[in-house]
Amino acid sequence: MTEHTTEHTTEHTTADTTADTTARTKIPLGSDLAVGRIGYGSMRLTGEGLYGEYPDREAGKSFLRQAVDAGVDLIDTADVYGPHTTETLIREALHPYPEHLVIATKGGLVRSGPELSTIGFVGNPQYLRQSVHLSARRLGVERIDLYYLHSGWAKDASFADQVGTLAQLREEGMIKNIGLSNVSVEQLREARDITEIAAVTAHYNVVARQERPLLDAAEAAGAVFVPWQPVSLTTPGDPTDTRGSATVATALAAVADAHGATVPQVALAWLLAVSPTMLPIPATTTLGHLRENLAAQDLRLTDEEIRTIDALA
């Protein structure tokens, strides 16, 4: 749900300038969309603690435009980011949207103050309906490309009623594709009995693999798996730290050196090798780091390197 990315200081530019970005693989998302293997998570385009407006609004809008120019074709956001400020920033920066650009947003969380402890979970069907309509209004669209239920933790309505509400909204034309965020394998199965699920997002990376059963279930269901905090080398719930433990950092650094890459690029390349339906959404606010992230699509790890990273869990 939350991601705090520590900026790394080195920039790998060779892949940025030599890669044929037009040849990069795309994966299907839902019935009629296709996106690149690495998207962009926009939650850091907020104020401190993911609360309030991004401090330099014009710089934020410029960054989003440059991100799309650099090859980003999926931007992930949520109504709780800010709250609401990231959705409006995306609209101000990019509307009318390029035809190839997919915007994903989420609903079902509320936040009443700057502390993360004020976040709560709401599944009331009327609230979810309102959330979808307001997100569409803030984004400036009639139909949302991909809309996630932000968690499976709300207790004020049954999970089935929450998913059913989104299914109704899709029938009404407000949502093109439905996704699930932070759910269990059992909830994914329950949701699929109600409607098609195009994407599942959860915390998953080199050192946090607790959601592997969910990844397997999503892959079996034909849903894209979208890991958040994908370059973190710390345990779940900790702020993102691309340094990690000495063992993990040493192993990834050796692989990175062999390819003339960075450790975050190796972490992303490993994710892409884990599953053909993997679509990481790393967050950053600098163009250099964003280009590094996208260039990880062009990094091919050897079987031995993949086995070495697999063994780090």
Side-chain angles (χ1 to χ4, degrees):
M1 178 185 65
T2 59
E3 178 172 351
H4 306 274
T5 303
T6 300
E7 302 290 357
H8 50 281
T9 57
T10 59
E11 286 195 12
H12 174 62
T13 57
T14 302
D16 298 343
T17 57
T18 62
D20 179 7
T21 58
T22 61
R24 286 176 177 165
T25 301
K26 289 185 178 290
I27 56 175
L29 176 61
S31 60
D32 60 351
L33 299 175
V35 294
R37 295 295 311 276
I38 294 179
Y40 172 66
S42 68
M43 63 164 55
R44 295 190 64 216
L45 291 175
T46 54
E48 184 178 355
L50 311 180
Y51 189 77
E53 299 281 358
Y54 188 61
D56 189 337
R57 195 166 190 81
E58 291 306 312
K61 290 190 286 187
S62 176
F63 172 79
L64 285 166
R65 295 180 188 120
Q66 292 177 85
V68 173
D69 289 343
V72 167
D73 57 11
L74 182 141
I75 296 177
D76 179 274
T77 188
D79 63 1
V80 78
Y81 299 165
H84 307 160
T85 60
T86 305
E87 287 181 330
T88 56
L89 184 67
I90 289 168
R91 177 181 182 172
E92 290 176 15
L94 299 172
H95 193 276
Y97 303 111
E99 185 176 351
H100 70 280
L101 181 64
V102 173
I103 306 292
T105 193
K106 314 176 194 72
L109 267 62
V110 293
R111 185 171 181 176
S112 60
E115 296 80 18
L116 291 175
S117 61
T118 65
I119 292 176
F121 311 100
V122 179
N124 180 283
Q126 296 307 319
Y127 176 77
L128 289 179
R129 293 186 67 88
Q130 173 180 277
S131 296
V132 170
H133 280 275
L134 292 180
S135 282
R137 183 183 302 173
R138 285 187 292 269
L139 290 168
V141 297
E142 295 183 357
R143 181 169 61 170
I144 298 171
D145 293 328
L146 173 60
Y147 192 88
Y148 290 95
L149 182 65
H150 207 151
S151 87
W153 303 335
K155 303 301 183 184
D156 59 327
S158 72
F159 182 73
D161 283 348
Q162 295 172 62
V163 175
T165 298
L166 298 188
Q168 291 171 4
L169 285 160
R170 185 169 67 176
E171 292 177 1
E172 294 168 15
M174 290 296 302
I175 298 172
K176 180 178 287 188
N177 295 286
I178 296 172
L180 299 175
S181 175
N182 303 306
V183 296
S184 67
V185 172
E186 292 73 20
Q187 286 174 323
L188 172 57
R189 291 171 181 156
E190 182 179 359
R192 292 187 64 231
D193 287 339
I194 299 169
T195 188
E196 295 178 7
I197 300 299
V200 178
T201 179
H203 187 201
Y204 191 86
N205 55 49
V206 167
V207 298
R209 307 186 200 176
Q210 293 83 350
E211 297 294 348
R212 180 67 202 226
L214 183 60
L215 164 60
D216 292 339
E219 184 175 323
V224 171
F225 188 80
V226 184
W228 52 265
Q229 206 166 328
V231 300
S232 177
L233 302 182
T234 57
T235 55
D238 290 340
T240 296
D241 183 349
T242 57
R243 296 168 299 176
S245 71
T247 300
V248 173
T250 299
L252 294 190
V255 176
D257 289 344
H259 290 273
T262 66
V263 166
Q265 284 179 317
V266 171
L268 289 168
W270 175 80
L271 283 170
L272 299 185
V274 166
S275 170
T277 65
M278 189 80 75
L279 201 170
I281 49 169
T284 184
T285 57
T286 67
L287 187 60
H289 294 159
L290 180 134
R291 286 175 171 160
E292 281 186 7
N293 293 336
L294 293 176
Q297 296 173 87
D298 310 309
L299 177 57
R300 299 293 180 265
L301 303 180
T302 68
D303 290 343
E304 182 178 356
E305 290 167 339
I306 292 171
R307 286 193 295 269
T308 297
I309 298 172
D310 286 345
L312 295 174

